[in-house]
Amino acid sequence: MDVDIKEVRKDGDVILAGIDFTASAGEKVLLHGPSGSGKSTLLKVISGLIPELYQHFEVSGTVRVAGLTPAEAAEQGIISYVPQDPSTFFIGLSLNQEFAILSLESGRRLMGLGCLDPSKSFLSMSDGEMYRAASMISVYSGAKVLLFDEPSAHLDPSSLRGFLDVLDDVCEEGVTVVIADTRQEPYRGYVDKVVSMGSDPFSQERVSRRTRSVGDEVAFLARDVRFRYAEGFELSGFDVEVKVGESLAFLGRNGVGKTTRLKLLAGILKPVEGFVKTAEPVFYLPQSPLYMFSEGTVIEELRLHARLWGWNRSVEDVAEALGLLNILHRNPYTLSVGEARRLMLALGIIHNPRGVILDEPTLGMGGGARCLVAELVEELLSSGKSVVIGTHDPMWCDVVDAVHELR
């Protein structure tokens, strides 16, 4: 594969420039850079989605995959691309349906990706399980070039190691792998080549916990809670108490029930047995969908929510706190996953809730942006909010007051 991109323009604006690298059969390449540096755009160019399917894009330069244009290579099944939002990857409703539609061999198991129930609906899978399922289909597809967007954002550390082991095996068979990620640490000693796509614009100083007062008032409470999904996953004996001004993180692997616990505390799911109390108003940041916006620009989105929620302070100050000032006039649907995540957090501040529930708040973010979000959580706690987080990112162990490790 040969990539020599001079410029990628959208609506006349340059959004990516000066990318030049090659990848031979069996090589593993990491595209590393902060959120918004153009990693996903580059993968979409290599996969043939840009400019073939995405409107208003212009690409100057050349990309060749097995001597073909990306569109030709994609048409021949040479390329497979797993996007940042795995829910957009599937055609069917389950792995069984997906294998049948794509005429792939079913009933096999990739040891490194863990065992997934092939009859389980994608809609009931966790984000990490969906990413594992999409990766499984991508590897089984027989494509000679595999593109993966932000695997470390979706996969817990154990699943990520298994994922990389699987890719090692397919690379020995001559498959080329290109991974785009904000994080470089998980891939040290694993990839053959690193393509740098910009430096982190945010400070990576570790956030220190601040001294704050915690009263006796309870913000989140669950007692003897039991919940069951129609497809069989059951949660029982769920007990938790978070007081006003306190923070708690549920830490665990993909599919262990972090999101279910968060939705119960948010009042989105109702327990079969037991009792749940939630501070109101509560702001809930879901893991998916990644984009939930209604305005044409970031600044318009911020101002809309300020009007709706009676926020009479500067929305620009909120944008500055979350590193959004340079994208205020961008359409929210053109943002990277990390940028969209930070915009959602900004909207959460404007909502001025008593309780804040965050599902994978640092999804798609590099080290500096993750520290920025950790600083935001400290600010929320200092102002008397209560914060509950679901994550597989161990960074939060040093930020929150208590950690419930789920197995």
Side-chain angles (χ1 to χ4, degrees):
M1 179 172 63
D2 296 292
V3 177
D4 184 8
I5 295 176
K6 307 303 182 187
E7 285 184 342
V8 177
R9 291 177 176 266
K10 184 179 187 300
D11 295 322
D13 296 327
V14 176
I15 59 173
L16 188 63
I19 303 296
D20 183 6
F21 71 93
T22 61
S24 303
E27 275 196 315
K28 300 180 285 287
V29 179
L30 174 66
L31 309 177
H32 174 253
S35 174
S37 59
K39 303 183 301 298
S40 296
T41 297
L42 178 55
L43 287 188
K44 288 172 184 174
V45 171
I46 296 172
S47 69
L49 292 174
I50 293 177
E52 298 298 323
L53 295 181
Y54 284 68
Q55 296 182 348
H56 311 297
F57 281 89
E58 298 176 7
V59 179
S60 60
T62 58
V63 178
R64 288 292 181 268
V65 180
L68 305 172
T69 67
E72 292 168 340
E75 186 176 354
Q76 295 187 26
I78 294 173
I79 298 175
S80 180
Y81 167 51
V82 178
Q84 272 185 315
D85 182 358
S87 65
T88 64
F89 179 88
F90 307 106
I91 302 172
L93 297 177
S94 68
L95 274 172
N96 278 340
Q97 286 192 17
E98 201 79 11
F99 280 124
I101 292 169
L102 300 175
S103 300
L104 300 176
E105 182 183 346
S106 62
R108 297 171 61 191
R109 174 184 173 189
L110 284 177
M111 298 298 293
L113 291 177
C115 186
L116 292 171
D117 179 357
S119 64
K120 186 176 182 180
S121 167
F122 294 130
L123 296 177
S124 64
M125 286 185 179
S126 71
D127 177 81
E129 287 175 320
M130 279 197 288
Y131 201 91
R132 283 160 50 200
S135 300
M136 183 184 296
I137 293 165
S138 182
V139 171
Y140 283 170
S141 71
K144 294 301 181 183
V145 176
L146 304 180
L147 311 175
F148 298 96
D149 206 344
E150 296 284 358
S152 78
H154 301 278
L155 302 176
D156 63 75
S158 177
S159 296
L160 182 60
R161 287 192 297 271
F163 167 80
L164 296 180
D165 288 341
V166 170
L167 296 188
D168 260 339
D169 292 340
V170 298
C171 285
E172 288 181 1
E173 300 172 2
V175 173
T176 302
V177 170
V178 181
I179 297 170
D181 212 303
T182 55
R183 299 176 62 194
Q184 191 169 1
E185 301 83 14
Y187 307 100
R188 293 190 191 279
Y190 171 77
V191 296
D192 303 297
K193 188 176 298 180
V194 177
V195 178
S196 178
M197 298 187 64
S199 58
D200 197 331
F202 305 117
S203 169
Q204 297 195 34
E205 292 183 12
R206 186 172 294 275
V207 177
S208 300
R209 293 186 198 171
R210 300 173 191 172
T211 302
R212 55 182 181 273
S213 59
V214 176
D216 295 327
E217 184 182 356
V218 175
F220 297 104
L221 178 69
R223 285 288 180 261
D224 301 319
V225 169
R226 178 173 171 266
F227 179 80
R228 182 179 178 84
Y229 285 106
E231 291 191 339
F233 175 83
E234 185 167 329
L235 175 68
S236 61
F238 175 36
D239 289 275
V240 73
E241 179 178 294
V242 181
K243 294 181 178 179
V244 171
E246 281 188 327
S247 58
L248 167 73
F250 295 113
L251 181 71
R253 58 180 173 79
N254 303 136
V256 77
K258 301 186 298 293
T259 297
T260 299
R261 286 169 170 81
L262 296 184
K263 288 182 176 179
L264 284 165
L265 290 178
I268 297 170
L269 297 178
K270 302 301 180 183
V272 175
E273 296 176 3
F275 172 77
V276 175
K277 173 188 175 182
T278 300
E280 293 183 354
V282 62
F283 175 78
Y284 174 67
L285 174 68
Q287 195 172 32
S288 183
L290 299 173
Y291 300 92
M292 303 170 62
F293 309 115
S294 56
E295 295 298 300
T297 66
V298 170
I299 187 64
E300 289 171 350
E301 192 74 26
L302 292 169
R303 288 171 178 165
L304 170 65
H305 284 257
R307 291 194 300 272
L308 291 175
W309 293 93
W311 180 266
N312 54 15
R313 284 170 276 174
S314 168
V315 296
E316 285 82 359
D317 288 346
V318 178
E320 182 178 12
L322 282 159
L324 300 172
L325 285 181
N326 63 330
I327 58 171
L328 287 179
H329 298 289
R330 291 262 305 275
N331 186 309
Y333 288 92
T334 68
L335 303 181
S336 71
V337 167
E339 289 170 331
R341 209 81 178 144
R342 285 186 276 126
L343 175 54
M344 284 294 294
L345 289 168
L347 299 180
I349 294 175
I350 290 172
H351 284 203
N352 194 27
R354 292 182 64 204
V356 179
I357 298 177
L358 307 175
D359 199 349
E360 297 292 356
T362 52
L363 186 71
M365 298 184 199
R370 289 160 72 213
C371 291
L372 200 69
V373 175
E375 179 67 28
L376 167 66
V377 168
E378 278 295 328
E379 293 283 352
L380 290 170
L381 294 169
S382 297
S383 64
K385 316 296 184 188
S386 303
V387 180
V388 179
I389 294 169
T391 185
H392 61 255
D393 187 346
M395 174 198 80
W396 290 104
C397 294
D398 298 326
V399 177
V400 298
D401 299 311
V403 176
H404 286 198
E405 190 166 354
L406 308 179
R407 300 183 185 279

